[in-house]
Amino acid sequence: MAARQARRLVKPFVYATSATVIVGGALYFTYRPRSIPGSDPAAVPPPGYGEGGTFRPPRFPLVKRREEQISDLRQSAGSQEKNRGRSIFAGLFGGGKTDPPGDAPDVEPYDLLIIGGGATGAGIALDAVTRGLKVAVVERDDFSSGTSSKSTKLVHGGVRYLEKAVWGLDYNQYKLVKEALRERKYFLDTAPHLSMWLPIMLPIDKWWKAPYYWAGTKFYDILAGAENIESSYFLTKSKALDAFPMLKQDDLFGALVYYGKYGAHNDSRMNVSLAMTAALYGATVVNHIEVTSLEKDASGKLRGARVRDLVPGKNGRESEDFTIRAKGVINATGPFTDSIRKMDDQQVDEIVAPSSGVHVVLPGYYSPANMGLIDPSTSDGRVIFFLPWQGNTIAGTTDTPTEITQNPIAGEEEIEWILSEIRTYLAPDINVRRGDVLSAWSGIRPLVRDPKARNTESLVRNHLVDLSESGLLTCAGGKWTTYRQMAEETVDAAIDHFSLQPGPVTDAPDVSGTEMIDDGARLDGSCQTHQVKLIGAHGYSKTLFINLIQHFGVETDVARHLIESYGDRAWTVAALSSPTETRFPVRGHRLSPLYPFIDGEVRYAVRHEHAQTAADVVARRTRLAFLNAQATLEALPKVIDLMAEELKWDAKRKTLEWDETVKFLESMGLPKSKLGCTRKDVESGRAAKFEDEEYRMYSRHDRSADQLESDRSPGIRPSSPANN
């Protein structure tokens, strides 16, 4: 009897305990203490003051000047290049003879020559050089001048892959989710100043969709584990409208908010930081160098490339081709992958299927400053994002087949499609106008086919690493989120195929500028890019802007912008900014009154980041061209004058820069009528005016400035000056 009564009591106790454990575990998982990435204190403290109040500025190591880097490239050819020149001279004038091989010792060739300075190429360079390899990178245009600067500014966490993995029972899709989760963590670990967390809202129009999406986001939370900043949560209709007031109320049941992505990712600054960090570690990194042909030995194996510096031609001087010798050549040219592959083999099949992704930039009032939005079911089934970025709002993207061009232009049809989709989920009293488009651009995504697959028409899921018979190693496809993983796989393949010998880095630079951190301690010859901090990361903290304001007297929004773009190198940028001769701000002349970009950034870009053209500065070092094409046109005279002082440009070069940059701004959405603007038009203010037929398309406001009837003074004649 007693045993039966005991069993009767045990059952409820077990049930109650189990329920308590489950509920308690769920609550702990949801509200557990978390380490928010990017909120940690700086790895090194900010500069302080010594005895007597003397300021002790950081002593950052310098990247080799571009001219020095080109000299290193030329030296890789050794006596081979000298004898080539002498034999040409002898052939032209006769009687000459080349020196014997022993009179000029050959310089050791590069282990790897990387063609392409986008995210993939710069990532490969950093991976290889931190494994102790001798590396060179050449880029025809500028770092991040192509697809790498024209992304959606998000680091994806793989939420969309998760749905495919579950419903398709696809393990490969599941692996992509785990890979994306891992790689996005490395983004904040290595460059916390260039990415930040952003909650994404998913509006729900039907009640039965709520449990479906809730289950999916909760499953994602579990997979993310400790790497997730916050658990997803549901918002009722009223709470959703409070968080995102621009949403329309009709057909809105509620919304789910999840943290599946990083927002405000500064893609081109990340790309430039990768390239400059690789240069600090010893890689030879040069932009505006074009590959004219690939060099092969007698057996048909690649041994380097012939290149041409394009900058002298802009200054009215002749450019000479020269040879770069390397044990292995890597093709990392994104959409232009096939053009390099055809240099190697004219008969090779093309593998790139280019797809255009158009984005538009709208004023910041279109979205909250700290909340993004995703529409997973647009009119044609594509996904569209709506995100705050750099004070404005980005909307996109499209996904349509396209032709490969260097500066693709966003078509009016694609722009109107994005605007029409935006209208469907914003409140009807918000007039989504074509004139609100501040900038519009098209990025070419290089989707690829595997040339060794039986069905060569099918596209690979992620990226492709392929080796040709002559030894051209191609890395193509992929996305920003997985650039580091792509680089690791490519360098692994290069070491194997080219029989390279990685080793520890014994002369690592003091990237932090403080001697407090040994950046080479972990560089043992294996891949360590998941913990190699980029330029600017060591001294970054979210409160660093206060130190800048207190020491240099820059404006608050400028100081915040500088630390979020340059990290601890904001000290150098602020120091390079001119005094304003006013009480406050003390330093920093704005390039545009609308944005926090200042003159010191132009000087820093030229001196420390190899900027060679005005487009390099307005598009890739600052982001002004991506934020507002018209404001960029109006800031262009200042940018060109500052660069002319640094690079000693003459009047012809300044005119060339004007013409080429205005032409480039067409690909950023500058109206066609402005493409013929002269510098005098801008400085006189005529460039800010629109013709009648263009006013409705490009103006930011209505023409009318009439008073309201209620504001007119009663008893006063309508013609009175008081009513004007």
Side-chain angles (χ1 to χ4, degrees), residues 37-47 192-193 536-552 554-556 558-564 567-568 570-571:
S39 297
D40 298 331
V44 297
H193 54 298
H538 292 79
Y540 168 78
S541 72
K542 289 191 173 182
T543 58
L544 180 61
F545 75 97
I546 298 173
N547 303 101
L548 285 183
I549 296 170
Q550 292 176 337
H551 183 72
F552 289 107
V554 295
E555 294 173 272
T556 300
V558 170
R560 286 184 180 276
H561 154 68
L562 292 181
I563 69 164
E564 290 170 1
D568 59 24
W571 289 102

Side-chain angles (χ1 to χ4, degrees), residues 52-212:
T54 303
F55 179 68
R56 295 177 299 191
R59 300 177 181 275
F60 297 124
L62 300 178
V63 173
K64 278 186 179 181
R65 293 183 303 113
R66 184 174 181 276
E67 293 75 14
E68 295 177 273
Q69 303 260 18
I70 292 175
S71 177
D72 290 344
L73 290 178
R74 289 180 178 275
Q75 288 178 16
S76 74
S79 60
Q80 178 187 39
E81 187 70 14
K82 292 182 180 179
N83 288 338
R84 179 195 291 265
R86 289 170 181 164
S87 63
I88 292 173
F89 182 88
L92 289 173
F93 300 102
K97 64 178 182 178
T98 60
D99 294 333
D103 77 332
D106 277 353
V107 175
E108 187 70 19
Y110 287 100
D111 289 317
L112 293 174
L113 169 62
I114 301 160
I115 306 172
T120 305
I124 292 170
L126 181 61
D127 189 306
V129 76
T130 52
R131 297 201 208 188
L133 300 176
K134 186 178 180 182
V135 181
V137 183
V138 293
E139 162 60 45
R140 179 180 61 180
D141 195 339
D142 184 30
F143 311 118
S144 193
S145 60
T147 307
S148 298
S149 64
K150 298 174 181 177
S151 71
T152 311
K153 321 304 178 196
L154 284 173
V155 184
H156 294 262
V159 173
R160 287 181 291 172
Y161 301 136
L162 183 60
E163 184 178 22
K164 296 177 183 178
V166 172
W167 291 112
L169 298 177
D170 190 335
Y171 181 69
N172 288 324
Q173 294 288 350
Y174 173 79
K175 287 201 307 184
L176 290 178
V177 177
K178 296 298 289 183
E179 180 183 275
L181 285 169
R182 182 182 68 249
E183 293 300 324
R184 72 172 192 172
K185 178 179 182 296
Y186 296 152
F187 258 80
L188 275 188
D189 288 344
T190 58
H193 54 298
L194 295 174
S195 295
M196 61 173 285
W197 287 91
L198 181 73
I200 303 292
M201 177 181 286
L202 175 64
I204 298 173
D205 58 348
K206 306 291 184 184
W207 70 266
W208 54 267
K209 291 183 180 180
Y212 173 77

Side-chain angles (χ1 to χ4, degrees), residues 580-714:
T580 62
E581 308 301 336
T582 61
R583 187 179 65 83
F584 194 85
V586 179
R587 282 181 178 269
H589 292 275
R590 293 184 184 240
L591 302 180
S592 167
L594 302 175
Y595 298 96
F597 306 114
I598 57 175
D599 58 331
E601 295 181 73
V602 181
R603 298 187 182 98
Y604 183 85
V606 173
R607 297 184 191 183
H608 301 284
E609 294 183 336
H610 292 188
Q612 294 295 305
T613 70
D616 293 351
V617 170
V618 298
R620 272 87 62 176
R621 304 311 185 281
T622 70
R623 308 313 309 272
L624 185 56
F626 282 82
L627 292 169
N628 193 320
Q630 181 78 18
T632 306
L633 180 69
E634 294 162 5
L636 198 52
K638 294 179 185 177
V639 173
I640 290 177
D641 286 347
L642 287 166
M643 295 189 73
E645 291 176 10
E646 294 291 320
L647 296 169
K648 312 303 180 190
W649 288 346
D650 58 19
K652 287 184 178 179
R653 177 64 192 274
K654 290 170 73 173
T655 301
L656 177 69
E657 284 301 314
W658 179 271
D659 294 341
E660 290 190 346
T661 309
V662 172
K663 178 63 178 174
F664 166 78
L665 289 177
E666 182 181 14
S667 68
M668 291 286 106
L670 188 70
K672 284 185 169 53
S673 65
K674 304 301 179 186
L675 298 179
C677 281
T678 64
R679 178 168 178 156
K680 187 176 292 187
D681 291 334
V682 170
E683 293 174 335
S684 66
R686 288 196 297 271
K689 299 176 181 177
F690 290 97
E691 300 296 333
D692 288 345
E693 61 269 19
E694 288 189 317
Y695 194 87
R696 292 187 64 183
M697 178 170 281
Y698 297 115
S699 67
R700 309 282 181 249
H701 57 81
D702 297 332
R703 281 187 186 277
S704 175
D706 296 340
Q707 280 184 308
L708 297 178
E709 287 297 327
S710 59
D711 283 334
R712 294 184 178 275
S713 300

